Amino acid sequence: MTVTGLRVIMLGPPGAGKGTQALRLVEKLKIANISTGEMLRNEIRPGTAIGRKASEFIEKGLLVPDEVVVQIVRDRISRDDCRAGYVLDGFPRTVVQAEALDQVGVEVNHAALISVDEEKLVRRITGRRTCPSCGRVWHVDFDPCADGVHCDVCTDVELIIRKDDCEETVRRRLVEYHAKTVPVAEYYRSKGLLRVVDGNGPIDVVFCRLLEALGFVCESEE
Ligand code: AP5
């Protein structure tokens, strides 16, 4: 399925499954995947100036300053592969960021809020394992890789635990989410663009709900 020009925002608390669902969505719709968390981690690994600044905030569970994130997103969405459409995973996370998107003329089609019972989020995050090569995430219980150690996509790469995936940092991220990102959901609700998706339940079931919320027919029902 190829969709031209669709622009979807993924909203939701840390661990809700934004990245997991974004990956499935871009594979199905053949549009670009833009994850600000992943872009920031790609700056942190080689120790760029942006990466050094970002890591100060990420490791404390705080949001990176708006001006840093807005600049990297503006650069990214101007690339050719975004013409066919894109999913923004983890951006905007503040109303200032949402307004910046409007100011550069991005017309958002849907803001999908993945909603998950809060007590499940910590378990999802502390059990997450991430491939440092392709960025694919796994879960020790809910979505395990074949041998429990290596990424099934990049077969010889060992999975890692993100530095900010400890319980204490997750709780800080949740406080940031409620203070700064919940108002973003309201921002899109007031524009008639918010689609709330129940993120409780198996990954494939949530994906079906997401597709339907965006106006597509879920494959299992086709
Ligand atoms: P980011 O990487 O975006 O982290 P996050 O928003 O906290 O979200 P997560 O990646 O933790 O969770 P997710 O919802 O993507 O869940 P996932 O699919 O992995 O950002 C990291 C940091 O960068 C931020 O804290 C901030 O500091 C900074 N940052 C990023 N963007 C920013 C911005 N715009 N402005 C300022 N700062 C910014 O799933 C989690 C786990 O659950 C996985 O193991 C997965 O396998 C499992 N799982 C997924 N779905 C299900 C399911 N349905 N059932 C069971 N398990 C599931």
Side-chain angles (χ1 to χ4, degrees):
M1 186 189 295
T2 309
V3 177
T4 301
L6 190 72
R7 288 166 298 272
V8 178
I9 284 168
M10 300 295 287
L11 292 171
K18 302 180 293 296
T20 300
Q21 298 299 334
L23 198 63
R24 280 163 176 73
L25 198 58
V26 300
E27 279 168 4
K28 185 169 181 71
L29 305 182
K30 298 183 177 53
I31 56 179
N33 188 14
I34 303 178
S35 156
T36 44
E38 193 56 28
M39 283 196 287
L40 292 167
R41 284 186 286 279
N42 287 341
E43 297 283 342
I44 291 171
R45 261 179 241 118
T48 67
I50 290 177
R52 287 197 302 276
K53 182 160 181 126
S55 69
E56 287 172 31
F57 295 88
I58 292 177
E59 286 179 20
K60 290 180 191 147
L62 302 173
L63 291 186
V64 174
D66 289 329
E67 64 274 16
V68 175
V69 189
V70 166
Q71 188 56 50
I72 62 171
V73 170
R74 283 171 69 159
D75 292 346
R76 179 66 187 86
I77 60 179
S78 65
R79 290 203 212 145
D80 282 351
D81 67 324
C82 288
R83 283 203 201 133
Y86 47 85
V87 173
L88 277 172
D89 164 18
F91 183 95
R93 260 179 159 100
T94 65
V95 171
V96 169
Q97 293 177 16
E99 289 169 348
L101 214 48
D102 292 344
Q103 280 156 16
V104 292
V106 171
E107 286 179 25
V108 172
N109 301 102
H110 307 278
L113 169 64
I114 312 285
S115 162
V116 175
D117 298 338
E118 203 144 309
E119 71 273 9
K120 291 190 177 129
L121 297 172
V122 174
R123 184 163 176 214
R124 283 194 187 181
I125 288 191
T126 52
R128 172 167 51 194
R129 301 293 180 268
T130 304
C131 174
S133 178
C134 70
R136 165 77 156 86
V137 296
W138 305 87
H139 192 282
V140 290
D141 300 315
F142 306 131
D143 190 16
C145 59
D147 69 359
V149 178
H150 298 94
C151 179
D152 288 355
V153 182
C154 315
T155 42
D156 55 349
V157 179
E158 208 165 304
L159 302 177
I160 58 162
I161 300 175
R162 268 169 49 179
K163 266 190 183 171
D164 59 339
D165 274 356
C166 60
E167 186 166 344
E168 189 192 347
T169 312
V170 174
R171 301 224 176 262
R172 295 279 293 278
R173 282 154 66 192
L174 275 168
V175 171
E176 286 280 86
Y177 173 76
H178 285 291
K180 296 175 182 167
T181 309
V182 169
V184 177
E186 292 312 312
Y187 182 85
Y188 288 112
R189 191 193 301 276
S190 72
K191 291 174 179 275
L193 299 174
L194 189 71
R195 324 282 176 238
V196 180
V197 177
D198 180 1
N200 299 290
I203 292 170
D204 289 344
V205 172
V206 175
F207 185 52
C208 260
R209 292 179 192 141
L210 173 64
L211 284 175
E212 285 167 0
L214 302 185
F216 297 101
V217 176
C218 179
E219 219 154 63
S220 62
E221 293 173 11
E222 277 173 352

